[in-house]
Amino acid sequence: MKSLLAGWLALAAMCILPGCSQKPPAVVIGPAHVAATTTAAVQVAAAKPVASAFTPPTEAEMPGGPLGDVIRQGRDIFTDTPEHAKAYVGNGLSCSNCHLDAGRLANSAPLWGAYGMYPQYRKKNGHVNTFGERLQGCFRFSMNGKAPPLDSAEMVALETYAWWLAKGTPVGVKLQGAGYPKQGFKPPQPPDYARGEKVYTASCALCHGADGQGRQVAGRNVFPPLWGPQSFNWGAGMHELDNAAAFIKANMPLSRGGTLSDQDAWDVAMFMDAHERPQDPRYTGNLAETRTKYHDTPTSLYGTEVNGHLLGAPPAAH
């Protein structure tokens, strides 16, 4: 554990320096692909009115006894999901890779901003979801795994941790800093793969690797893979350009959120999301049909072609 922590600290310190000079393999993006992400393609719906900012309780305020034990279990699952919920994880990611600072950080979809917004209807699965069902979706898509049962110890612990972080928040009110800051956030120009590759090389490759496969210490991810077999699958929200760009703008490079321009954030989101990743578990066996049914949005690159490769196509199809 000490070696893992030491490695993480060393890499984290590196991440405040300029990006390394390594360059990922170039991929040329075709005109048809660019057309799929025109200015109209990246329109973002206006957010609902937000309440004032919220400060979650500190870890020192965690209660003792059985309740505190379950809260701590939820925190541990959240920050090292492959270790503490291994039966349900299919890649190398942890919840805290996208929900930073153990689910506490504003503008990185903090748990305290989500807990009080459920139940709510989700178009993604066509019914009213409880908070537990929302968490199940994270395992299925972001973790490329399988949903824990709602009454499982893992799910109870995660919900309890989220409840504790959200103590004192109003129910049904979107809080300032909840989600990713997408209101009015669109690029001056349509996102561009080639520009995004340059941003990635300069600002992202040092932590996430020139090949996008993250950084490991003692066989464990300390910086997450952004594409490939150990990353989120095509059903995850982060594969949508607007989600990825807003998260990147607010939070990346690590500890230097807000330093990239809007255009750079959209361009590097395009570069990241234009790489192959695990199949959407809702895949019907037909790529065009799956796109029409689940990805019919101009911010999804699923089913579009980049450099002759049809993103989301099974290997036998190309």
Side-chain angles (χ1 to χ4, degrees):
M1 186 65 185
K2 289 183 177 179
S3 63
L4 179 63
L5 178 60
W8 187 92
L9 291 172
L11 283 168
M14 291 168 66
C15 282
I16 64 172
L17 302 174
C20 68
S21 60
Q22 291 177 294
K23 188 177 181 64
V27 179
V28 179
I29 186 166
H33 189 65
V34 173
T37 50
T38 60
T39 302
V42 292
Q43 296 293 329
V44 179
K48 296 178 181 179
V50 296
S52 57
F54 172 75
T55 301
T58 66
E59 291 207 358
E61 297 175 74
M62 284 185 180
L67 178 60
D69 291 343
V70 175
I71 292 171
R72 290 177 180 83
Q73 180 188 6
R75 175 204 58 196
D76 292 345
I77 293 170
F78 197 85
T79 54
D80 193 352
T81 319
E83 174 66 20
H84 297 286
K86 62 183 67 177
Y88 305 106
V89 177
N91 59 23
L93 300 184
S94 290
C95 305
S96 56
N97 289 143
C98 292
H99 311 273
L100 304 179
D101 191 21
R104 301 172 57 85
L105 187 65
N107 296 321
S108 68
L111 279 178
W112 50 260
Y115 185 80
M117 296 302 291
Y118 287 85
Q120 67 170 268
Y121 176 83
R122 299 190 73 218
K123 185 178 178 181
K124 186 166 186 171
N125 53 24
H127 69 270
V128 172
N129 287 206
T130 64
F131 185 68
E133 288 177 290
R134 180 65 183 87
L135 293 178
Q136 285 182 320
C138 292
F139 279 93
R140 191 179 180 203
F141 299 112
S142 295
M143 303 297 179
N144 194 37
K146 60 182 181 180
L150 289 173
D151 61 352
S152 65
E154 290 85 355
M155 191 63 69
V156 170
L158 285 170
E159 290 195 65
T160 305
Y161 178 55
W163 163 82
W164 176 76
L165 282 178
K167 286 185 70 174
T169 60
V171 174
V173 177
K174 185 172 182 179
L175 301 171
Q176 181 179 327
Y180 305 137
K182 296 195 293 183
Q183 185 173 13
F185 179 53
K186 55 187 178 182
Q189 304 175 59
D192 181 82
Y193 182 101
R195 289 196 306 260
E197 183 180 19
K198 293 178 181 178
V199 176
Y200 184 87
T201 300
S203 301
C204 313
L206 187 63
C207 291
H208 295 287
D211 60 358
Q213 300 311 293
R215 301 286 188 183
Q216 293 80 35
V217 171
R220 304 291 294 281
N221 281 313
V222 290
F223 294 105
L226 301 180
W227 60 80
Q230 291 301 310
S231 190
F232 53 89
N233 68 40
W234 280 113
M238 198 61 79
H239 99 277
E240 296 274 0
L241 293 180
D242 58 339
N243 289 331
F247 172 79
I248 290 166
K249 172 68 178 181
N251 299 289
M252 294 290 128
L254 188 65
S255 80
R256 291 190 286 130
T259 60
L260 293 178
S261 70
D262 291 358
Q263 187 68 60
D264 284 349
W266 279 94
D267 288 343
V268 78
M270 163 71 84
F271 177 75
M272 177 182 80
D273 282 345
H275 285 79
E276 198 56 88
R277 57 190 66 261
Q279 182 59 267
D280 188 328
R282 301 167 297 180
Y283 179 60
T284 66
N286 181 291
L287 184 62
E289 179 181 79
T290 306
R291 177 173 173 84
T292 298
K293 191 171 183 179
Y294 299 112
H295 298 270
D296 190 18
T297 163
T299 58
S300 173
L301 302 183
Y302 182 84
T304 65
E305 190 172 299
V306 176
N307 196 33
H309 174 67
L310 196 57
L311 292 168
H318 56 83

